[in-house]
Amino acid sequence: MEKEQILSAVKKKVQSLPGVIAMEMLTPELRTAIIDLETEAERNGACGGLMPFTNRGVWESFRRQEQFIIVIESSSIILGGDEDLVYISDQSGQRVGEWLNEAKMKEMQGRDDVCYISPDFILYADVKSVGEPFFVLPEMDFPYLKDIEGVENVTSGSISTMADDYIRHQFGYGKGKHWTHLIGFDIKKD
């Protein structure tokens, strides 16, 4: 399959997903704008600058040959499970804390080795942090492209609030509560 045929198949598949209201392959200008906004967001840190963070999902998506952004209706959940949306890591890669979905909240109830910093975010009391902890927005699976011939190494990530606001305004969805997501993939070499 030629590159243009692959890109066309990707667009057709993604635009057919329930809840996807806009999709755009990244132009060099849009790519630069998102990279600049993500870099600035990381420089500013999380929690009002109290803790550093890294957006692994976005940076891994940018390591792929092709990237696109989608705008999704606020009520849609097309990314499947809501596991590992954000967590806190230390410098050795240990998980120091994490956001809890409903299932994980139930699992954690009554445990004395966790400290709640909000109803849906915990720190592990028995983990000794190595170095300065930081928030991580991890890579996320985007399974919808796996059956498209010529596509490989698909990954995705949630973009920062700054980039999300920018994208929604660029696409004409600035006033809604929609959300955005970045996906990257490689094209197989023949």
Side-chain angles (χ1 to χ4, degrees), residues 19 27 30 44-45 58 70 80 82 85 93 98 102-103 108 115 128 132 141 145 150 170 173 176-177 185:
T27 62
L30 192 51
N44 292 339
V58 164
I70 55 176
D82 52 3
L85 294 181
E98 65 184 310
E102 285 188 40
M108 294 294 161
C115 301
K128 295 193 187 309
E132 185 178 17
D141 188 33
L145 305 183
Q170 287 293 107
Y173 298 102
K177 298 221 184 268
F185 64 94

Side-chain angles (χ1 to χ4, degrees), residues 38-134:
E38 289 298 325
T39 301
E40 183 178 345
E42 285 189 358
R43 228 183 355 259
N44 292 339
C47 299
L50 295 176
M51 186 179 284
F53 91 95
T54 187
N55 197 332
R56 290 184 182 155
V58 164
W59 300 128
E60 286 303 316
S61 294
F62 280 127
R63 285 186 179 89
R64 304 310 194 260
Q65 295 168 330
E66 303 291 333
Q67 299 88 36
F68 62 91
I69 195 89
I70 55 176
V71 178
I72 305 147
E73 290 177 344
S74 60
S75 62
S76 291
I77 302 174
I78 67 165
L79 295 175
D82 52 3
E83 304 264 335
D84 280 347
L85 294 181
V86 63
Y87 61 89
I88 299 174
S89 180
D90 70 4
Q91 299 298 318
S92 72
Q94 290 185 96
R95 191 170 291 213
V96 177
E98 65 184 310
W99 173 81
L100 305 174
N101 62 18
E102 285 188 40
K104 198 102 179 206
M105 276 187 215
K106 289 177 185 169
E107 181 185 320
M108 294 294 161
Q109 284 179 341
R111 286 182 49 170
D112 58 3
D113 63 335
V114 297
C115 301
Y116 285 85
I117 57 176
S118 76
D120 62 356
F121 208 101
I122 59 166
L123 294 175
Y124 292 104
D126 59 348
V127 175
K128 295 193 187 309
S129 182
V130 177
E132 185 178 17
F134 58 97

